[in-house]
Amino acid sequence: MSASKISVEALTDVGRKRKGNEDAHTVNRELNLYVVADGMGGHAAGEVASKIAVEAIEEFVTLTSGNEEITWPFGLDETISYDGNRLKTAIRHANGKVLEATRESAELEGMATTVAAILVDGDVANLAHVGDSRIYRWCEGEMTLLTSDHSWVNEQIQTGVISPEQARSHPLRNVVTRALGGRADLLVDVQSLTMAPGDVLLVCSDGLTTMIPDEDIAAILGGAEGDIARAARELVDEANDRGGEDNITVVLLKYEG
Ligand code: CA
């Protein structure tokens, strides 16, 4: 693992409408692992799913942080980096853990969770996601969405059936088409990018992005001028000011070089 200087700020908030917070996140400086999970399911089962997921991901990434030989339960994907494999397998391992818990308790039946995760090594950020939690990059004054939601509305947008504007208020806007807790053979989207000093990565749950359009998220990141603590606070406050209809979680990483 090569050293890199990363600043991190994480905030989670229940929002204005929900009783509990079904989001979970982890900031592990030692592993350079940053995860947001957004749980779904009745009777607090969503909280269980997201918590199991972040813990299981951390567990597998820890297991592969040394030089010891380990068994890769799903084999290695030669088309992606080693750290990409660690993330992908960690998420599939977490999927197994969520499914296992679901089978063991009738109360947890149907629970599921999204995941968006970043594993940093030097100036390389390895990203993985499942569901509609997102990762954005702020680089030289421009914001780019790096992930593509596994959601019903995003599929409709991609095929031109509805517009992004219509998606924002669509009754099915919360329906995800891929999540941990669904199929055993879960597909995980993985990518890697090289960061430049000053780059900021934002990992967030949909409680942020359904409340604030991308251009306004970009305006907040720009206005904060690299102060990620300020940006995190302003993002959460803005989502609440606009209604706070869901739990809001933001993890901001700044690559200092
Ligand atoms: Ca949510």
Side-chain angles (χ1 to χ4, degrees):
M1 210 191 300
S2 11
S4 53
K5 198 169 176 305
I6 304 268
S7 310
V8 189
E9 192 67 31
L11 273 185
T12 189
D13 191 277
V14 69
R16 296 260 163 94
K17 302 280 165 69
R18 302 284 177 93
K19 284 203 173 68
N21 191 341
E22 298 191 319
D23 288 355
H25 69 282
T26 190
V27 168
N28 188 319
R29 302 299 308 251
E30 206 174 316
L31 294 170
N32 242 335
L33 173 71
Y34 311 93
V35 185
V36 168
D38 176 355
M40 298 155 263
H43 305 290
E47 286 180 41
V48 177
S50 59
K51 187 164 179 287
I52 290 173
V54 296
E55 286 175 359
I57 290 167
E58 213 165 358
E59 178 184 69
F60 189 83
V61 173
T62 303
L63 197 66
T64 52
S65 61
N67 294 318
E68 63 272 31
E69 285 289 309
I70 66 129
T71 307
W72 291 79
F74 312 102
L76 280 164
D77 180 345
E78 287 161 15
T79 65
I80 56 174
S81 67
Y82 178 67
D83 280 335
N85 270 289
R86 289 171 73 198
L87 269 187
K88 181 178 178 175
T89 304
I91 292 172
R92 293 198 63 188
H93 166 70
N95 181 48
K97 291 278 183 188
V98 173
L99 284 170
E100 201 178 288
T102 304
R103 279 193 295 269
E104 282 166 7
S105 162
E107 280 178 18
L108 299 177
E109 202 186 330
M111 72 173 178
T113 185
T114 71
V115 156
I118 302 181
L119 181 60
V120 177
D121 184 21
D123 61 353
V124 177
N126 298 276
L127 322 178
H129 87 290
V130 172
D132 63 358
S133 295
R134 294 182 176 174
I135 303 173
Y136 292 90
R137 178 190 204 175
W138 175 265
C139 177
E140 291 177 350
E142 262 185 69
M143 190 178 81
T144 314
L145 171 61
L146 300 173
T147 50
S148 177
D149 293 352
H150 304 130
S151 70
W152 186 85
V153 286
N154 191 35
E155 286 173 6
Q156 302 300 305
I157 293 168
Q158 298 307 322
T159 51
V161 177
I162 61 173
S163 69
E165 264 314 296
Q166 289 171 311
R168 302 190 65 77
S169 55
H170 199 282
L172 298 182
R173 65 186 176 278
N174 294 321
V175 175
V176 296
T177 48
R178 245 194 250 177
L180 284 71
R183 303 161 54 125
D185 59 342
L186 180 71
L187 291 171
V188 181
D189 288 5
V190 180
Q191 59 184 304
S192 297
L193 62 89
T194 305
M195 297 179 289
D199 279 10
V200 172
L201 296 174
L202 163 67
V203 195
C204 60
S205 61
D206 72 333
L208 181 78
T209 53
T210 52
M211 290 290 108
I212 316 180
D214 283 9
E215 55 269 31
D216 296 344
I217 293 175
I220 290 171
L221 293 179
E225 293 175 343
D227 180 347
I228 55 171
R230 177 181 154 193
R233 187 73 261 162
E234 288 183 6
L235 288 169
V236 170
D237 288 349
E238 185 65 22
N240 275 323
D241 287 348
R242 294 186 188 214
E245 285 175 19
D246 196 358
N247 310 138
I248 309 144
T249 301
V250 299
V251 176
L252 283 158
L253 318 186
K254 186 178 176 195
Y255 179 63
E256 312 276 6

